[in-house]
Amino acid sequence: MLQMRIGDTLVAVDWEDNDSVQALRDLCMDAPLTIQMSMYGGFEQVGSIGTSLPRNDVQTTTGAGDIVLYSGKQIVVFYGSNSWAYTRLGHITDQDAAGMAELLGNGDVTITIRMG
């Protein structure tokens, strides 16, 4: 089971069942994956995973709480909406749009993904 923290906040994630998430699990098997995120476009935070994951990009309209893979190498967490070709990784289920904006909309953050 993968766990994700945004800064110090543990968030509940409904992870997709796909090759990308399995590769992310494999990356986190021995040690947590810490990703420095950067604000982008006023609706998302983007950070480099440091390696490429399998991708199956489809045109997607995202919403607050969506977690996607961009270009196979970057993880994106949304606090707004965008439409682009992404691979879905999961969705944060315990935060509404206002909660996501509070977690992500006030400057760059660090996320940590680990096996739990």
Side-chain angles (χ1 to χ4, degrees), residues 1-5 10-35 49 53 67 75 88-93 111-116:
M1 179 82 164
L2 283 175
Q3 294 181 337
M4 183 169 137
R5 285 188 183 276
L10 182 64
V11 293
V13 178
D14 181 13
W15 295 99
E16 295 288 324
D17 182 13
N18 61 30
D19 290 344
S20 303
V21 173
Q22 184 57 52
L24 193 57
R25 276 190 194 101
D26 293 346
L27 269 181
C28 298
M29 198 60 71
D30 295 327
L33 178 64
T34 301
I35 302 168
I49 296 170
L53 299 180
I67 306 164
I75 196 164
R88 285 195 173 273
L89 297 177
H91 182 79
I92 296 169
T93 58
I111 66 168
T112 305
I113 302 172
R114 69 178 62 207
M115 294 300 291

Side-chain angles (χ1 to χ4, degrees), residues 2-108:
L2 283 175
Q3 294 181 337
M4 183 169 137
R5 285 188 183 276
I6 299 174
D8 294 327
T9 304
L10 182 64
V11 293
V13 178
D14 181 13
W15 295 99
E16 295 288 324
D17 182 13
N18 61 30
D19 290 344
S20 303
V21 173
Q22 184 57 52
L24 193 57
R25 276 190 194 101
D26 293 346
L27 269 181
C28 298
M29 198 60 71
D30 295 327
L33 178 64
T34 301
I35 302 168
Q36 181 59 50
M37 306 291 280
S38 299
M39 291 184 74
Y40 182 81
F43 52 82
E44 67 187 26
Q45 291 259 0
V46 181
S48 176
I49 296 170
T51 189
S52 288
L53 299 180
R55 57 195 269 206
N56 183 19
D57 294 345
V58 295
Q59 187 66 28
T60 304
T61 298
T62 60
D66 283 341
I67 306 164
V68 300
L69 181 65
Y70 174 68
S71 292
K73 298 178 277 196
Q74 294 181 308
I75 196 164
V76 184
V77 184
F78 287 88
Y79 58 96
S81 181
N82 192 29
S83 186
W84 200 260
Y86 300 113
T87 299
R88 285 195 173 273
L89 297 177
H91 182 79
I92 296 169
T93 58
D94 63 348
Q95 299 287 330
D96 60 12
M100 290 306 303
E102 189 171 317
L103 284 172
L104 298 174
N106 298 307
D108 298 351

